[in-house]
Amino acid sequence: KTLDDIGNIDGKRVLVRVDLNVPVAGGKVTDATRIERIAPTIAELSGKGAKVILLAHFGRPKDGPSPEFSLEPIAKATAEVLGRPVGFAADCIGDAAASAVAAMNNGDVLLLENTRFYKGEEKNDPDFTEKLAANGDIFVNDAFSAAHRAHSSTEGLAHLLPAFAGRTMQAELDALEKGLGNPARPVVAIVGGAKVSSKIDLLMNLVKKVDALVIGGGMANTFLAARGTDVGKSLCEHDLANTAKQIMIEAAEAGCAVILPIDGVVAREFKAGAASETVAISEVPADTMILDVGEKTVKTVADWIDRGATLVWNGPLGAFEIEPFDRATVAAAKHAAARTKAGKLISVAGGGDTVAALNHAGVADDFTYVSTAGGAFLEWMEGKPLPGVDVLKR
Ligand code: 3PG
């Protein structure tokens, strides 16, 4: 059920789970994308006269309340981004929350303090969930990026109150459905990032679902080494050689093409502006490390993107955070963005570094959809159930 089904909410107290787990440095929010994404749901609920009560976590506090993990500064940032007053209550349950809610007028927006200040949150403890539910008549979950957690505020509440997906949750799920659920074929996946070990489940699932899998980033080295290529001093998980081989076997059985780098940008040091050269992947000097894929590989990736009707992307092709090792990621991202703009490609990207890489390439807005989710995007791509989503479907 979405907000289309929510009915008359004039004067109702609507508890809205949002993801305000935003990056903060020196007390300032450094990327407000997640705050921007909750704006449509809040505007819609408030516009219909609801009392909008936001529930969120921030960081991973271990020992109860602490100023370091307080959402109070985020309430201020949220007010700035949304361009409207956002109240703050210093607790998410109990008297402080109840009295702040009681003081709300219709259409007001209030943020309650970090739900993770209580152990009950992560335990999905029924008593804690009931205390949260006491402040609401209706539950809306707009935090796809926290939906892989079965916590009180992401899962438990949906059992106690009438529950609906918010607009961002809906947009995320629609985009993911287009990307892997019921995609236009052929589907091409690009998976990069440093380590195979963090993405084994992802790769195993993808080879069964997509038509071509491009493997880049540090993890490609493990596949190259498993195939017998000498990768010099590159980051490589030699102990995962058999896993890499198994993934390639499963891909072959499923008819999924696996595309590995054919050339690489190598350097002796991993630092900005380090002397680098492009070499064939069979000729990586023993004292160098591969820090990006080369131009020939980029050309191959672009060709595969051209053949695809759908692209799903997780993880950069090289060490994009340091120039000049950002070139392949930027070039491939621009190519995918241009195909998308031309109406020839549905492109869905997400997970940790991916958003930063696409922002760095300046093309995040040109993709069909860029998910703000990290772990949730990955788990969804791995084919795992997301408790916060499943409970809404039930
Ligand atoms: C995220 O930042 O990916 C979500 O907010 C979930 O945070 P968590 O990994 O601490 O549960």
Side-chain angles (χ1 to χ4, degrees):
K1 286 190 184 156
T2 70
L3 298 191
D4 295 334
D5 309 300
I6 204 166
N8 182 4
I9 49 170
D10 193 32
K12 294 258 171 70
R13 301 166 305 160
V14 182
L15 288 170
V16 187
R17 179 54 157 102
V18 290
D19 191 349
L20 294 176
N21 199 26
V22 291
V24 173
K28 290 257 169 290
V29 174
T30 55
D31 179 353
T33 313
R34 281 182 171 171
I35 303 179
E36 287 159 10
R37 294 275 176 102
I38 64 175
T41 293
I42 292 175
E44 188 169 339
L45 296 172
S46 162
K48 287 183 172 170
K51 295 170 181 167
V52 182
I53 304 149
L54 305 178
L55 292 172
H57 75 280
F58 183 57
R60 294 175 179 171
K62 284 281 157 269
D63 305 306
S66 76
E68 187 195 346
F69 294 110
S70 173
L71 276 168
E72 191 165 12
I74 312 284
K76 293 198 184 91
T78 305
E80 272 166 35
V81 173
L82 300 183
R84 64 184 307 151
V86 174
F88 179 74
D91 203 343
C92 62
I93 56 172
D95 291 345
S99 54
V101 170
M104 291 175 85
N105 293 314
N106 293 0
D108 279 359
V109 182
L110 171 75
L111 173 64
L112 305 184
E113 182 59 288
N114 197 341
T115 51
R116 286 191 187 168
F117 282 172
Y118 290 90
K119 291 218 180 337
E121 161 73 339
E122 291 180 58
K123 289 189 186 141
N124 204 354
D125 171 42
D127 290 342
F128 177 69
T129 313
E130 260 181 46
K131 287 179 184 158
L132 286 177
N135 289 314
D137 306 304
I138 292 171
F139 174 58
V140 169
N141 192 345
D142 211 23
F144 173 80
S145 44
H148 56 318
R149 309 291 181 209
H151 294 175
S152 284
S153 69
T154 60
E155 204 272 348
L157 276 174
H159 295 282
L160 296 188
L161 298 173
F164 303 86
R167 294 301 180 199
T168 292
M169 173 70 90
Q170 200 186 338
E172 292 268 1
L173 293 174
D174 285 351
L176 297 180
E177 184 63 17
K178 272 191 205 144
L180 273 189
N182 187 17
R185 292 204 174 263
V187 186
V188 178
I190 299 179
V191 177
K195 289 184 170 177
V196 176
S197 47
S198 59
K199 294 193 181 172
I200 294 171
D201 292 347
L202 171 68
L203 296 166
M204 286 285 193
N205 187 46
L206 282 182
V207 293
K208 290 181 207 127
K209 293 222 168 123
V210 306
D211 302 293
L213 171 65
V214 175
I215 301 178
M219 67 167 61
N221 304 333
T222 303
F223 283 83
L224 292 167
R227 211 183 54 179
T229 305
D230 187 349
V231 294
K233 282 195 170 160
S234 306
L235 177 72
C236 181
E237 293 166 284
H238 290 284
D239 53 326
L240 288 179
N242 283 336
T243 305
K245 279 184 197 156
Q246 191 55 38
I247 290 168
M248 290 192 275
I249 290 168
E250 302 248 347
E253 281 170 2
C256 168
V258 174
I259 297 102
L260 291 174
I262 51 175
D263 57 353
V265 181
V266 299
R268 285 178 179 79
E269 300 168 284
F270 180 36
K271 63 172 200 195
S276 61
E277 59 176 328
T278 302
V279 297
I281 216 67
S282 55
E283 284 163 22
V284 173
D287 62 340
T288 66
M289 52 196 151
I290 309 166
L291 293 172
D292 198 7
V293 302
E295 275 167 28
K296 289 192 179 131
T297 306
V298 172
K299 172 81 178 59
T300 308
V301 174
D303 288 345
W304 277 101
I305 291 173
D306 290 349
R307 273 183 244 176
T310 302
L311 173 71
V312 287
W313 188 334
N314 173 265
L317 292 174
F320 81 98
E321 61 280 17
I322 291 187
E323 285 178 21
F325 310 112
D326 57 340
R327 281 190 196 148
T329 302
V330 169
K334 285 189 170 160
H335 190 83
R339 292 285 295 178
T340 308
K341 265 169 109 179
K344 292 182 174 140
L345 184 72
I346 293 164
S347 50
V348 179
D353 277 352
T354 317
V355 181
L358 296 185
N359 279 330
H360 174 72
V363 297
D365 290 344
D366 297 331
F367 270 58
T368 309
Y369 195 79
V370 178
S371 174
T372 64
F377 184 84
L378 221 52
E379 290 196 23
W380 185 86
M381 291 239 296
E382 289 167 357
K384 292 188 180 149
L386 301 179
V389 172
D390 286 355
V391 71
L392 295 179
K393 289 184 175 158
R394 249 181 268 150

